[in-house]
Each structure stands twice: as C-alpha cells, then as structure tokens.
Amino acid sequence: MLEVRDLRVTFGPRRKPFVAVDGVSLTVGANETVGLVGESGSGKTTVARSIVGLVRPASGSITYDGRAVPAGTSRPGELQRAIQMVFQDPRSSLNPWMTVASIIGEAWRTHPSAASDLDRLLADVGLDSSVAGQRASQLSGGQCQRVSLARALAVKPRLLVCDEAVSALDVSVQAQILRLLDDLRRRHNLSMLFISHDLGVVHQIADRIAVMRRGVLVEEGPATDVLGAPQHEYTQSLLDAALELNS
Ligand SMILES: Nc1ncnc2c1ncn2[C@@H]1O[C@H](COP(=O)(O)OP(=O)(O)O)[C@@H](O)[C@H]1O
Ligand SMILES: [Mg+2]
C-alpha cells in the first residue's frame, strides 16, 4: 500500500550535503505493522517526515495505493487524510490551552467529510467523554497520547506513522498504548509504520521489522526472522542491548 523507493534526504549546503537518509526502500502492506528501528540519529524521523510530506526528499519516490505521493505539503486532501502521523511527545504536539473537543474539532474542520461523533471517537481510544472539555495541559502523558491518537483517527486515515509514539511514556503506560494501537489497527483495518529506537518495543507490535543505521537500511524481514536470526551485526547489537535492559 505504501511504497518507499530509494529515498534519499540531505540537509545543509548543496556543495557539501549531509546525507540523513541514503537510499531507503520499504513497503507497508494493508493491515500490516512495520517496525522501523535504529539508534538515535539513524534517520528514522526523516523517513517518517518524508512520508507525511514535512520533508522534501532529494530523490526517490513514495507511492500510496499505486499513486505517486508529491513531495512537500502540496498533496491532495484525500492523501493528506489517508496518512496520519503520531509524534513522540504528546505534550508538545498538542496545544496545552485547547480543549480536547476543540483539538478534534480542528481536525474535522480540515477534513469535514470525516466528522463524526466525538464521544464515540474518545471511547475508541479509551477516554471518557468527560475529557472532551478538559485542556491538554490538564491531562496525563498517557491521556495526551490517547488524544493524539484520537486526533489522527478523527480523519479516518488508512496508515498511521507513529514516530517514537510511546518513547516518552512510563513502561506500564507504554504497554497500554501499544495494546491500544494494536486494537485500533485491527478494528479500523489500519496499516502502521511504527518507529522506535527501542527494539524491545518494536518487537511487541511489529509484523515486519526494518533496521536503519546511519541513513541506510541494513536489514528487513518478518519480525520472527529479524529477532530470531539477525543477519546484520548491528541488529544483533540492538538485540543484545534490548535483552540486557530486560534482564
Ligand atoms: N532539519 C534538519 N536539518 C539538519 N539536520 C537534520 C535535520 N533533521 C534531521 N537532521 C539530521 O539527520 C540525522 C537523522 O536524524 P533523524 O531522522 O531525526 O534520526 P532519528 O529519528 O533516527 O533519531 C541526524 O544526524 C540529524 O541531526
Ligand atoms: Mg527520531
């Protein structure tokens, strides 16, 4: 459904560019969760931002349902709606002074055809309808991330790009949000690109795993293969680090 081909993203001066993403190709199929993992600075967020149009790639192509996704923000509304991003820090991605109802209302103003019942949307992400009148600043980190998810789901997307969506949360809240994401994917037939520096987290949710290092995809395959028999020593080192943390 989503196909990224030979993506290359550079920053800095044209004469001496820094290559943040160097020829990355990956696909996310219908109802599939692909985990994108790699240490900080490996280029994961830049891939995510390219997919949602916040970054303009130097070269490569992105197609969605066989249609070319134009670079940058000049994409048709239907495409903007279909691919939604959930960010790492729910506190800074939500305006603290806005009520939950107005945050969701804003999404519905942008995409009126998606507008529906607020209480049902909140229930869908495990929030009580009483939260609607509260400001983001009054909510816990976990509640904020549920609101971010509700805002993304409000426009009835087909693909969620979750960039470190649980990384700022306590481990127990992390587990709740991961379970919720998996439930939502099933209930709404979503596809997901789930990005995290933490292989232990990716392991809990991904069907397939892609491993990035210094802008390059070094390994990609079914989660059981990548975790059970990593082909690249970098994947092995991420795995060792995750196991060490768990024990
Ligand atoms: N807007 C930008 N301008 C300059 N360099 C950037 C920009 N965005 C990211 N980078 C650099 O690109 C590299 C990859 O960053 P990023 O995609 O955020 O990695 P990750 O999400 O894996 O931590 C890093 O070295 C980062 O400093
Ligand atoms: Mg990042």
Side-chain angles (χ1 to χ4, degrees):
M1 207 174 75
L2 176 79
E3 189 163 6
V4 176
R5 276 278 153 265
D6 225 359
L7 187 73
R8 185 180 157 89
V9 182
T10 60
F11 295 112
R14 189 168 289 182
R15 278 190 306 118
K16 203 167 171 289
F18 170 74
V19 184
V21 176
D22 194 0
V24 165
S25 298
L26 58 89
T27 61
V28 184
N31 304 334
E32 186 180 43
T33 299
V34 175
L36 181 59
V37 71
E39 68 198 347
S40 173
S42 54
K44 307 179 300 294
T45 293
T46 306
V47 170
R49 290 168 63 86
S50 304
I51 293 169
V52 298
L54 294 170
V55 159
R56 189 176 284 273
S59 61
S61 70
I62 301 172
T63 56
Y64 177 79
D65 269 351
R67 287 192 303 165
V69 175
T73 46
S74 63
R75 37 177 79 177
E78 175 56 28
L79 204 54
Q80 274 179 34
R81 204 171 65 90
I83 307 177
Q84 290 291 314
M85 186 156 167
V86 179
F87 299 90
Q88 167 162 13
D89 187 357
R91 295 220 175 277
S92 59
S93 64
L94 299 176
N95 181 334
W97 308 112
M98 278 172 75
T99 64
V100 172
S102 51
I103 288 167
I104 306 292
E106 217 172 44
W108 282 337
R109 256 197 311 285
T110 319
H111 299 285
S113 66
S116 65
D117 185 64
L118 181 59
D119 286 353
R120 243 194 20 225
L121 178 66
L122 293 178
D124 208 18
V125 296
L127 289 172
D128 192 80
S129 54
S130 64
V131 167
Q134 292 192 284
R135 294 178 202 286
S137 59
Q138 297 173 281
L139 305 176
S140 71
Q143 282 177 315
C144 281
Q145 205 49 302
R146 288 175 195 268
V147 173
S148 300
L149 275 172
R151 177 175 60 179
L153 291 173
V155 303
K156 300 191 171 73
R158 303 272 315 283
L159 170 73
L160 282 187
V161 178
C162 301
D163 187 12
E164 306 278 3
V166 302
S167 302
L169 305 172
D170 296 339
V171 174
S172 64
V173 184
Q174 255 185 8
Q176 290 170 15
I177 300 292
L178 284 171
R179 220 170 308 132
L180 173 64
L181 277 168
D182 210 40
D183 283 349
L184 291 168
R185 178 179 66 84
R186 282 168 216 277
R187 278 189 271 133
H188 296 280
N189 290 320
L190 295 167
S191 305
M192 210 155 42
L193 180 62
F194 184 90
I195 298 172
S196 175
H197 67 282
D198 184 344
L199 191 55
V201 166
V202 168
H203 155 76
Q204 295 178 53
I205 197 163
D207 305 312
R208 279 196 299 128
I209 296 179
V211 182
M212 260 185 100
R213 184 194 196 193
R214 295 186 197 143
V216 177
L217 211 72
V218 295
E219 182 161 0
E220 193 273 329
T224 45
D225 294 359
V226 172
L227 296 166
Q231 297 298 303
H232 198 285
E233 63 181 54
Y234 178 64
T235 312
Q236 184 64 54
S237 72
L238 289 178
L239 205 55
D240 292 343
L243 289 173
E244 216 160 279
L245 285 175
N246 285 344
S247 60

